[in-house]
Every structure is written in structure tokens, then in C-alpha cells.
Amino acid sequence: MAKVRVSTLAKEFGMTSKELMGHLADMKIPAKSASSTLEDAYVAMVRKQLASVIEARAQEVEAAKQAEEQAAAAEEAARAAEAERERIAAEKAREEERRQFAAAQAAEEAARAEAEAKKKAEQERLAREKEEAAREAQRRAVPASDSGSRFRSLLDQIAAQETVLKEKKDAEDKAKAERAAERGNRRGGNNDRRGGRRNDRNASDNNSERNASESRPHSHRTNASNNVAAGMDFPNPDKQGKGKKRKGGHNNEEDHYSRMAREAEEYSREKVLEEARAAVEEASRESTGRRKKRKEKREREAAKAQEERKIEEALAQGVNPEDLDAIKVSQGVTVQELAEALDVPANDIIKRLFLLGTPLTMTQSMSDDLVELVADDLGRQIKIITPEEENTFSFYDDPADLKPRAPVVTVMGHVDHGKTSLLDAIRHTGVAAGEAGGITQAIGASQVMINDRKITFIDTPGHATFTAMRARGAKVTDIVILIVAADDGVMPQTVESINHAKAAGVPIVVAVNKIDKPGANPDRVRQELTEYGVIPEEWGGQNMFVNISAKQKIGIDDLLETVLLQADVLELKANPDTFASGNVLEAKLDKGRGSVATVLVTRGTLHVGDTLVAGLTYGRVRAMLDPKGRAVTEAGPSDAVEILGLQSVPNAGDEFRVFEDEREARALADERSLKARIEEQSRVKHVTLENLFETIADAEVKELNLIIKADVQGSIEALQDSLDKMDQSEVRINTIHSAVGAINETDVVLADASNAIIIGFGVRPDGKARSAAEREGVEIRCYDVIYKCLEELDAARIGMLKPTEVEVATGTATVLDTFKVPKVGIAAGVRVEEGEIAATDSVRLVRDGIVVFNGKIASMRHYKDEAKSLKSGSEGGIGLENFQDIKPGDQIEGYRIDQVARTE
């Protein structure tokens, strides 16, 4: 039966890991954490001892479950009653709504029936009038209008009907005018008979009414009869009156039917015209609405297609679609460059800057805030690219294309805490038995298979390298294994490793090493790490701790399982089906193979023959080697390979990316190289004591800035008083910063920004400060006595500095331990970290940045043999002349004084 973890057993018993750990402690069963495993005998003992507890907990769980079920049943019953009440109320509301709806529907039906009855009666009346008009028209033999057959469209018919109505109206007006004129003529005649005048009026009225009703071809008959009746003089008045009465009655009947026919025809025509106009208007409205809907649909489809093309283009370029439309400008862009990028006149930008209260010229640089304000005022989206981002790439992957990848793990820790031993033990664990004796580590990375899963380990980089990679934005590590010796505890480089991992946002898995040693105390390590925010999970923290022994190979499997568990929590994924990109781990120049770079692929798949750009260089991959030195043709995400074919050696931490076209890769590399050369040429030239007089003569500086660091405050005050008494008529000496302690990187940054010289009294710069000073060109001068410093400053001020002695650093060694040597006293067991220290060199003993000894070497041994020198990486013993106060952790700096002749 396999071993059982404490956490698994706690889940089985239905309790927390902390509670189970308490029971295990009561039963004196050894278990360090929830991830510890228990033997079968211990598991049986725990089951037996905790049977009553488990049974009681089960009863409590059952009682709680029953109580929950009862509460749930009561709540369900309450909800059911409430639902029934709501249903009854809703049913009543629906019944009331149905009743109101039925009443409204009955009223609407009655109104509809009444309207239909009225409409039907109106239609019947119009039909009767139309039939009567038709009969009258047939009787009068008036030809029906067949104009409708001659029109080709409804609009032509409407226009023709309007023309006919207009002509009829004009004819009616003309007839009325003629009738009025005729009545006036007849009133002015000599006819005194009233009957004759009435006949004339009746005849004229009948004639005018017929002419106004229609232009009929038989109207002359009526006119003729009327004229006869009006012009003839009958002798019998009774007969005349009788005949006139019959004639007048016949004319009135004709006028009535003619008027009815005319009204019916006019009503039908107006109705037809109104219906035609309504139909045309409705058709036009429907046509306009359909056109508008079709236009909106086309616009939506075009916008959707444009968005799809944008996403496809972003995926093809491997960038975020939101950044595709943004205009990219470099940090510190000038007004003219911003105007060209935004495609606007430069005067518009200058005007806006003037309104903002920051007038600038065409060639002056703009701050990031000003660039964003101007772009926002112009309604443009802009992205400012920092110098670090110019040499990096941004990618966008569809979440559906992401697949799980192996974790990348870096081992960090203090010196001699077992980093290399742990890597060796892990590599032996992950290989076959036949290869266990002879593993070839070809490059600075390795891969092992644990439970059919791959883990990529990167050999521990120096802390400075790790910081530089983080500063460039290259987060190549997924998990950090912080190794701490159980017998040594937390050391300075341990704290530094914690700070680096937290700054990079990488989770930390702590491996407490050397638990097999007699003085090991893992609990003390846990307690010390809590002061730096690294808290074990069993103490309520977020970090997993594993006790191991790299030499005895104890706990290695648990450590690897913990790493895989942390990787599962992170859910590491990448897109392997795209062009490759990643980071350069290390690079070198090989005599036989040329430029060789070790790269870690973080995205895509790298193939032999791909063209890539890495930092300032480019090239085509001619060959690839895996961590065991075997040739491979491709490398996927989280794979570390060694590639050949680059034009030059890239820097560690540079990001690389594959390009399809070699010309694009060459153009990008050339552009980056040109920018780097321009920045190198425009770098500020710092003042030194050697070129101070030349700088003053060229009128580039009128003052000398100093940063003073000393071992005690009294030295600073003495130097400051001496500097104040110097002649400052030509050069004003300013002390911009003074403090007690070693020279650090912050002092170099301040000197770089203020163009100052760093003066040290009894103190030395640390490794980071020395590297930063060499990189930025900042001069650091260290002295033991004040007068020598004052002499050099005064000589430099007047241009008479003649350095004849130059101090040359030869090497640096770390004191590992001390031991007694006969006739010598206390000697130091050292390891040379860099350079080569000779037995004839002068040395300084530096403790916490303070020089405690400056003198000669009394003796030097390599093991038991006398040695003339100790090279970098070697160990040996050094005895100091007339000095015994040596402690582990001290730094021994070797130097020699060379005589250098002036050439100018």
C-alpha cells in the first residue's frame, strides 16, 4: 500500500489539515506539514485512534445535514404557500383582465358593426346615385369618358382627371359670365311683358345650367326651343302660360338629374384621385423605409467585416487588436516627429502647447503627459513606446489556440546552500537508469520528466543577470525554488533572491536543504523567512515548503510534485501553432561555431531555417541542440535550445522573434543598431579629475560636483572644511551628497544624473556600484588621507594633475572560514570570486563596506602547498601581515600600484 499524504487523510476524515496535524502531534506521529506522507502503520494507528472522533464528526455532520434538510423543507413549504398565494392573486388578476378585455372587445365589435352598417348604407346610396346618373347619361346619350385607357400610369391618370376638372370649372365660369351679360341686355330692352321676361330668364337659366353641367353635343336643341319660347308672342295668354308651365317643369326635372349625375361623377373622380394619391404616398413611404433599412444593414455588415479583418490582421501580426489602431511614438518625441506621426500641421500642436502653458519649438522633446494631452485633444489614440519596449514584442493569441505548457523553474539562493547539488540531484532523478552515470549538460538549462510531465530548469543566473533580465521586461521564469540551508538559515543573498522573485511577480517554493546535517533546524528557517513575507502554508501563508537533502536525495520527489502542483495552480498555457518568440538566456562566441545563443521559447514553435531577430542582431537558425547536446529540428513552448547562425552575439535577456521575411528582420536589426549608436554618441560625457581643466577651458562646466562617502562622520566634516578653504575663483566645488557607509549603486545613479565625482574615505564600492560606474562612465576615487585628495583636486583644478601611480584591482576573494596556522596566527580560508590575487599584491580587508585592514599578504597557500597566486574559482588560504581579526564573510580585495608615464 502506498504512502498517504496528511492532506489526503484529512480530506478523508472530513477535517482540515491543521486539525489533523494537531491530532498527529498528540499521538507523537512525525509530520512536518500537510504535504508530508505517512507510513501504513501510522495511517492504521490514526484511523484507530481517531475512530471515535470521526464517528462523532460524522454524527455531527449527519445532524447538521438533517437540520439543513428540515430547514430546507420548511423553507420550501413557505415558498410553496407563497407561490400558491401569488398564483391565486395572479389568477384573479387574469380573470379581471379577461373580463375587461371581453367588455372592450364587445364594445369595439358593436362600434365596428355600426361603422360597417353606415359604410354599407353610404355605399348603397352612392350606388343608387351612380345608377341614376348612368341612366340619365344614357338617356342624354352622353359618351362615357374613356380616358383611363389612354394613360400608361396612375400618375398620368390623376393629372388628366385634374385637367378635365379644371376645364369644366373654366367652362362653368364662362357660362355664368355670358348668362349675366345676357340678363343685363334683356333688362335694358323695350319688352314690358312680365311673362316674356320670365320666359327669357327661365330659358337663359336652363341654357346656362345645361352649359355648366356638361359640354353636351345636343345642347343647341334646348337653346333653340328656349329662344322660340322667348321670341314668339302668343295671343292667348292662358295657353301661353299653360305651355310655359309645362316647359319649365320639364327643364327642372332635367336640371335635377343632370346635377345628380354631375355630383356622382365628381365624387367618384375625387375618390379615385384621393385613393391614388394615398397609394402613391404609401408606396413612396414603404420604398423609403426599405431603402433606409437596407442601407443600415449594409453599414452593419461593413462594420462587422471591418472588425473581422482587424482581428485577422492583429492575429497575423501577433498583437492586441486594441493596439492595432493606436499610433506608436517613442518616448521623448519632438514636436515635429509627433506632427508627422499624427499627420497634422506642426503649428496645430505648437498652438495647443502654448494654450497649455508649455510653449515648445519644432525640435524640442515633449513629455509623455504632453503627448497624451495633445493626442486626446486631437481625438487620436496614441501609445508611447519606452526604450525598453522598443526592443520587445507584444503578442495577442486567441484563447482557443492556447494549450498547456511545461513550467520553467529557476533555482536561487545563497552561496553554498546547495543550488548546484539540487540541480544535479534533479537531473539524475529525471533520466533513465542507463544514463544516470554519464549526463552531458551541453547548455545552461535542462529538462526532466516527472509523472509523464516535463519541467524545464534554468541554471541559477547571477543575481545581477536576473535583475537585468527583469529590468528588460523578460519574465522567463514561472516558478522560483528558493533553497535555504537548514543549518545556516537566511543569509543576505537569500533576502536578495526573495526581493528579486517578488519584484518579478514569480511564486516561490522554498526547499529547506541539508536536513541530514546534525545542526539542521528547518523550523528556524521557516521562522526567519516569515520576517520577509515568505510564510508556510501550514502557518496560513501562500508558500509551499519542502524539506530536502540534495546530497542524500531525500525529498526530491516531493519537491518536484510540489512544483507540478504550483504549475497546475498557475495554469500555464501558450500557443504552439504560430511563429516562435522567447528570450535569450546566455550567448557566447565560439571559435569553431561562431555566435552561439541559448534561447528559451515562450510562444510558438522554432524550426531550423527560421529567420529571427534577437536584440540588435539577426540571423537564420542553421542548427539547434537540446540540453543533452543532441540535434533537433524544432522546439516548442518552454523548450530551451542552443541555436547557431546569428550574425553577432546578443545580450542575455534580449527578446527574440521569428520573421517570415529575412529582409524585415535585417531592417529591424539595422534600425535598432543605428538607434544604439546614436544613443552611445549622445551619452553625457562625465567630468573626471583628468579632464577637469580641459572641461573648464572649453566653458562646459564652471563647477565641480562631489559625492562624499566615508567610514565615519568626522572624516566627512574634515574634508568639507578643507574644501571650503580652497580657492574657488575658477571652479566652485559643490558637495551635493555626503553620508557614512559604503559606496552603493544609488550613489552612482546620483553622480550620473548630476555629473559628479564620487570621493570615498576608508570605504569601497560594492560590486553593483562598480559595474554601474563602469557602465555609466562615473569616476570613483578612494583615499586614505585628506591631504592627498586635496592635492589631486587642486592639481586637477589648475590643470597640473600628473598621475604617476595608478591602482589596478587584481581580484576579489570571500572569506569562507578561519583557522590557526603555526607562526602565522589566524589565516583565512578564501574562495577567489573574480580576477587573480598574487602573493605580492597589496590587499584590503573590507567588512560591511568598511576597510578594516590595508597592507600586505604574509602567506598564501593552495591546499598544503605554497602558492604564488590564486585564480578565479579556486580556494586557498591567505594570511595577512600583522593582522588577526579576520571573520567569515569578509571581502579581501587585491591590488597593485603601477607606474604609468604621461603621454601628453
Side-chain angles (χ1 to χ4, degrees):
M1 185 175 180
K3 297 180 181 180
V4 181
R5 283 181 178 268
V6 175
S7 58
T8 305
L9 198 60
K11 291 180 181 177
E12 180 182 346
F13 292 163
M15 61 179 64
T16 62
S17 300
K18 190 173 182 179
E19 293 176 349
L20 184 58
M21 289 291 293
H23 289 298
L24 294 177
D26 295 339
M27 290 184 283
K28 306 300 181 180
I29 296 177
K32 298 299 183 180
S33 64
S35 59
S36 302
T37 57
L38 300 178
E39 299 292 340
D40 297 343
Y42 287 148
V43 173
M45 184 187 302
V46 170
R47 293 182 189 276
K48 183 177 180 181
Q49 293 290 335
L50 298 182
S52 59
V53 177
I54 295 171
E55 185 178 357
R57 185 177 292 275
Q59 292 177 359
E60 291 178 359
V61 172
E62 185 66 26
K65 185 177 181 182
Q66 291 179 359
E68 289 179 358
E69 290 178 354
Q70 292 176 0
E75 187 177 357
E76 185 66 26
R79 283 200 298 267
E82 182 66 22
E84 183 65 22
R85 288 195 297 271
E86 291 179 356
R87 186 187 65 79
I88 294 173
E91 187 65 29
K92 290 181 180 179
R94 286 196 294 271
E95 187 66 27
E96 180 66 20
E97 290 178 359
R98 283 197 293 270
R99 186 182 63 76
Q100 294 178 359
F101 179 74
Q105 192 173 10
E108 186 179 355
E109 188 67 26
R112 191 185 301 110
E114 184 179 358
E116 289 180 355
K118 290 182 180 180
K119 184 177 180 181
K120 186 175 181 182
E122 183 69 18
Q123 289 177 353
E124 290 178 354
R125 184 183 67 78
L126 293 176
R128 287 195 302 269
E129 291 180 356
K130 191 172 182 179
E131 289 177 0
E132 292 175 1
R135 285 195 300 270
E136 179 65 20
Q138 186 176 6
R139 187 180 64 81
R140 293 174 178 272
V142 178
S145 176
D146 59 348
S147 61
S149 62
R150 295 195 301 270
F151 296 106
R152 289 174 296 179
S153 66
L154 185 60
L155 295 175
D156 294 339
Q157 294 181 18
I158 294 172
Q161 293 293 343
E162 292 179 350
T163 304
V164 171
L165 291 176
K166 185 176 181 181
E167 291 177 355
K168 286 184 178 182
K169 186 176 181 181
D170 294 342
E172 184 177 349
D173 294 340
K174 185 176 180 181
K176 286 183 180 180
E178 291 177 355
R179 185 177 57 190
E182 185 177 356
R183 280 201 302 269
N185 293 331
R186 288 181 181 178
R187 285 194 193 98
N190 295 323
N191 190 356
D192 296 330
R193 289 175 296 180
R194 298 170 63 90
R197 287 196 296 269
R198 284 196 297 270
N199 289 334
D200 291 338
R201 283 198 301 271
N202 291 335
S204 178
D205 292 339
N206 292 332
N207 188 20
S208 64
E209 288 177 0
R210 291 191 190 93
N211 292 333
S213 64
E214 290 180 352
S215 297
R216 297 185 178 90
H218 303 288
S219 61
H220 63 282
R221 299 177 184 176
T222 307
N223 293 334
S225 63
N226 290 336
N227 291 333
V228 171
M232 293 181 63
D233 190 13
F234 297 98
N236 192 354
D238 297 334
K239 187 176 180 179
Q240 180 185 3
K242 189 176 180 179
K244 182 180 177 184
K245 186 176 180 180
R246 281 197 309 271
K247 188 72 175 177
H250 179 70
N251 290 337
N252 291 335
E253 185 177 357
E254 288 181 352
D255 292 342
H256 174 70
Y257 285 112
S258 176
R259 187 166 55 253
M260 289 177 61
R262 185 175 71 253
E263 291 177 355
E265 185 175 1
E266 289 178 356
Y267 177 78
S268 62
R269 288 177 179 175
E270 290 178 358
K271 187 175 181 181
V272 170
L273 290 174
E274 184 178 356
E275 292 177 353
R277 291 192 188 96
V280 171
E281 184 178 358
E282 182 65 24
S284 176
R285 188 184 302 110
E286 292 179 357
S287 176
T288 303
R290 286 195 297 270
R291 286 197 300 270
K292 184 177 180 181
K293 291 181 179 179
R294 286 197 297 269
K295 183 178 179 181
E296 293 177 352
K297 184 178 180 181
R298 287 195 300 268
E299 291 177 352
R300 289 195 300 269
E301 291 177 353
K304 185 178 180 180
Q306 184 178 1
E307 186 68 21
E308 291 177 354
R309 287 194 301 270
K310 179 180 177 181
I311 294 176
E312 291 177 358
E313 184 180 356
L315 291 175
Q317 297 181 6
V319 298
N320 195 333
E322 297 178 356
D323 297 337
L324 195 62
D325 296 335
I327 300 174
K328 298 180 181 179
V329 296
S330 301
Q331 197 174 33
V333 65
T334 62
V335 175
Q336 184 176 1
E337 293 171 348
L338 181 62
E340 294 175 355
L342 297 177
D343 195 16
V344 297
N347 291 333
D348 292 350
I349 297 178
I350 294 175
K351 179 176 66 177
R352 286 171 170 81
L353 293 175
F354 184 79
L355 294 176
L356 290 172
T358 312
L360 297 177
T361 61
M362 296 277 288
T363 57
Q364 285 184 298
S365 298
M366 300 175 59
S367 64
D368 296 346
D369 295 337
L370 284 178
V371 173
E372 293 176 355
L373 286 174
V374 171
D376 184 64
D377 189 40
L378 293 173
R380 308 293 291 275
Q381 185 179 1
I382 199 165
K383 182 178 181 182
I384 300 174
I385 306 298
T386 61
E388 291 79 9
E389 293 176 344
E390 289 183 357
N391 293 340
T392 60
F393 304 97
S394 59
F395 304 103
Y396 174 79
D397 289 319
D398 191 349
D401 298 334
L402 300 179
K403 298 179 182 179
R405 64 174 178 86
V408 180
V409 181
T410 298
V411 181
M412 301 181 66
H414 192 69
V415 177
D416 198 28
H417 276 202
K419 298 187 296 297
T420 305
S421 300
L422 176 61
L423 287 173
D424 292 340
I426 290 174
R427 285 193 286 264
H428 279 278
T429 302
V431 298
E435 299 176 351
I439 302 174
T440 301
Q441 184 65 24
I443 60 176
S446 59
Q447 289 181 335
V448 297
M449 296 293 295
I450 303 297
N451 298 333
D452 297 330
R453 296 179 62 180
K454 185 187 299 183
I455 303 178
T456 301
F457 286 93
I458 298 177
D459 284 357
T460 308
H463 296 300
T465 305
F466 188 80
T467 305
M469 294 171 66
R470 178 174 57 82
R472 295 187 184 99
K475 182 183 175 184
V476 299
T477 302
D478 299 318
I479 302 171
V480 167
I481 295 180
L482 179 65
I483 186 165
V484 185
D487 61 339
D488 203 4
V490 177
M491 300 298 288
Q493 289 189 16
T494 307
V495 179
E496 187 179 3
S497 302
I498 294 173
N499 295 334
H500 287 324
K502 288 185 176 181
V506 182
I508 300 174
V509 175
V510 181
V512 183
N513 193 21
K514 301 182 181 181
I515 61 172
D516 56 325
K517 298 187 72 173
N521 189 356
D523 294 335
R524 182 172 65 89
V525 173
R526 287 172 168 79
Q527 182 64 37
E528 291 177 353
L529 286 176
T530 56
E531 300 176 3
Y532 303 98
V534 181
I535 305 173
E537 282 187 341
E538 55 266 25
W539 293 2
Q542 301 292 330
N543 301 98
M544 290 184 282
F545 281 65
V546 181
N547 296 335
I548 66 169
S549 174
K551 292 291 185 181
Q552 303 298 328
K553 296 182 175 56
I554 300 174
I556 303 299
D557 293 336
D558 293 340
L559 177 62
L560 296 177
E561 291 178 2
T562 304
V563 171
L564 292 177
L565 179 61
Q566 183 67 52
D568 293 338
V569 173
L570 295 177
E571 296 182 355
L572 303 173
K573 293 182 179 181
N575 181 13
D577 303 323
T578 184
F579 55 85
S581 62
N583 300 90
V584 178
L585 297 180
E586 53 187 48
K588 60 183 178 180
L589 186 62
D590 191 271
K591 292 183 179 180
R593 299 183 297 173
S595 176
V596 180
T598 301
V599 299
L600 177 69
V601 182
T602 59
R603 175 180 179 270
T605 302
L606 181 63
H607 302 85
V608 174
D610 287 347
T611 301
L612 57 85
V613 173
L616 306 180
T617 184
Y618 77 99
R620 184 183 295 273
V621 179
R622 293 190 287 106
M624 282 195 300
L625 302 177
D626 67 357
K628 297 183 180 179
R630 299 175 300 192
V632 294
T633 58
E634 63 179 23
S638 298
D639 287 343
V641 292
E642 193 176 64
I643 62 173
L644 286 72
L646 295 178
Q647 298 294 325
S648 59
V649 180
N651 296 323
D654 283 347
E655 187 175 355
F656 77 88
R657 176 192 169 177
V658 171
F659 284 83
E660 295 182 358
D661 191 356
E662 186 175 357
R663 290 175 294 182
E664 295 181 3
R666 184 188 300 111
L668 179 59
D670 293 343
E671 180 182 356
R672 289 181 175 179
S673 300
L674 178 60
K675 286 185 177 180
R677 288 196 299 269
I678 293 175
E679 291 177 359
E680 183 69 24
Q681 293 174 359
S682 60
R683 183 173 296 176
V684 177
K685 183 180 180 181
H686 294 284
V687 64
T688 63
L689 292 181
E690 283 82 1
N691 64 6
L692 177 61
F693 188 77
E694 298 177 359
T695 306
I696 297 173
D698 294 338
E700 293 182 1
V701 66
K702 294 298 182 182
E703 60 184 14
L704 174 62
N705 295 327
L706 299 179
I707 295 176
I708 302 175
K709 298 298 288 287
D711 53 354
V712 292
Q713 187 66 31
S715 300
I716 298 176
E717 295 175 355
L719 178 61
Q720 187 63 52
D721 293 339
S722 301
L723 292 176
D724 294 338
K725 296 176 182 179
M726 291 180 63
D727 182 13
Q728 300 187 14
S729 58
E730 299 182 28
V731 179
R732 185 172 66 254
I733 300 177
N734 296 329
T735 303
I736 61 176
H737 176 65
S738 61
V740 175
I743 301 172
N744 52 37
E745 191 175 4
T746 305
D747 300 326
V748 178
V749 173
L750 178 59
D752 179 35
S754 58
N755 195 17
I757 299 174
I758 301 176
I759 303 296
F761 272 92
V763 295
R764 305 292 299 173
D766 56 19
K768 289 184 178 180
R770 189 182 297 109
S771 301
E774 293 176 357
R775 183 173 62 253
E776 302 297 338
V778 175
E779 184 178 13
I780 300 177
R781 291 284 181 127
C782 297
Y783 300 97
D784 295 328
V785 290
I786 293 178
Y787 75 89
K788 189 173 182 180
C789 172
L790 297 177
E791 287 178 355
E792 291 190 358
L793 286 175
D794 190 58
R797 184 178 58 83
I798 61 177
M800 297 179 62
L801 181 63
K802 297 179 180 179
T804 57
E805 294 181 351
V806 177
E807 179 182 308
V808 179
T810 58
T812 303
T814 302
V815 178
L816 303 179
D817 203 350
T818 60
F819 49 91
K820 292 183 179 181
V821 178
K823 299 181 181 180
V824 176
I826 301 298
V830 301
R831 179 191 294 123
V832 180
E833 302 294 343
E834 60 180 283
E836 180 179 2
I837 301 178
T840 57
D841 291 344
S842 299
V843 293
R844 296 187 186 91
L845 185 67
V846 182
R847 181 177 303 155
D848 297 331
I850 306 299
V851 177
V852 297
F853 172 78
N854 189 352
K856 295 290 185 178
I857 297 176
S859 63
M860 177 180 292
R861 290 180 178 271
H862 183 63
Y863 294 102
K864 295 183 179 181
D865 302 326
E866 289 285 342
K868 295 183 178 180
S869 64
L870 294 177
K871 296 184 179 180
S872 175
S874 61
E875 296 181 355
I878 295 178
L880 302 181
E881 186 175 350
N882 300 325
F883 188 80
Q884 305 294 323
D885 186 17
I886 305 175
K887 295 181 180 180
D890 291 346
Q891 298 287 325
I892 296 179
E893 296 181 358
Y895 66 96
R896 68 176 184 270
I897 304 298
D898 291 344
Q899 300 294 328
V900 178
R902 294 294 297 267
T903 59
E904 55 184 83

